[in-house]
Amino acid sequence: MTTPPPIPAPPPIAPMSPGTYLRKRREAAGISIELAALAFVPWPDPTLPAGQRLLIADLGHSLAIDYGIKARGQSQLLELVRAWARKIEKIEADAQIVDSAITTVLARLIPLDIQIFDALVALWLGVAVPIPQICRDCGCSWHRPCVDRVESGIPGCFAEYGCSWSASDPNLCTACERKAAAPQQETADAS
């Protein structure tokens, strides 16, 4: 009699869902869902002659945008923004899984790490991949850290510093650690 093969270990638990990661990065950048949806809007190329059409594929169909279209074109663009905003809401609610083509477009506006997003999708689907290190509050990572802009003392010149990992909590960046400590410091100063 042969022994049955060993039961594979369950996949590691992800630090957060892919949608939560996208939402945290979008919110950390101060970008609304509607503004993020603008990344998918086809802006006409000003170098093209007036009246020339630009075809943009969107969710399996084409939208023709013409320089000559005024009110009708604006309503089409607004509807396109609304449609993409609904799609982003579904992605953030983990109701829809997307590939890196969508996240690459979102990364134009939102400082997200596509490799981490892909790893979180894999973990969410049960694929055993290494768990990425992500700040639990803002979603920043080693390749996409929070950036503090500090006045350098020279008028008009600023120094930028990236955050690092907290010494007391490896799942918290130093920028979020400082934000969490600031209200406690204000309360201590008031008493």
Side-chain angles (χ1 to χ4, degrees), residues 85-104:
R86 288 189 298 270
K87 185 174 181 81
I88 293 169
E89 287 173 346
K90 286 181 182 179
I91 296 167
E92 288 185 357
D94 294 312
Q96 184 170 4
I97 297 175
V98 295
D99 60 11
S100 61
I102 300 293
T103 53
T104 300

Side-chain angles (χ1 to χ4, degrees), residues 38-123:
L38 285 176
F40 297 96
V41 173
W43 297 103
D45 184 349
T47 62
L48 295 175
Q52 186 172 355
R53 291 181 178 263
L54 176 65
L55 295 175
I56 303 296
D58 173 44
L59 302 174
H61 64 281
S62 293
L63 172 70
I65 299 175
D66 190 340
Y67 278 80
I69 299 173
K70 297 287 185 223
R72 189 177 68 149
Q74 290 173 355
S75 65
Q76 286 176 340
L77 288 176
L78 287 174
E79 186 51 41
L80 182 61
V81 169
R82 288 184 190 113
W84 276 106
R86 288 189 298 270
K87 185 174 181 81
I88 293 169
E89 287 173 346
K90 286 181 182 179
I91 296 167
E92 288 185 357
D94 294 312
Q96 184 170 4
I97 297 175
V98 295
D99 60 11
S100 61
I102 300 293
T103 53
T104 300
V105 174
L106 285 171
R108 293 178 190 163
L109 290 178
I110 300 170
L112 60 92
D113 189 330
I114 296 170
Q115 291 175 335
I116 285 184
F117 184 86
D118 290 345
L120 291 174
V121 168
L123 286 166

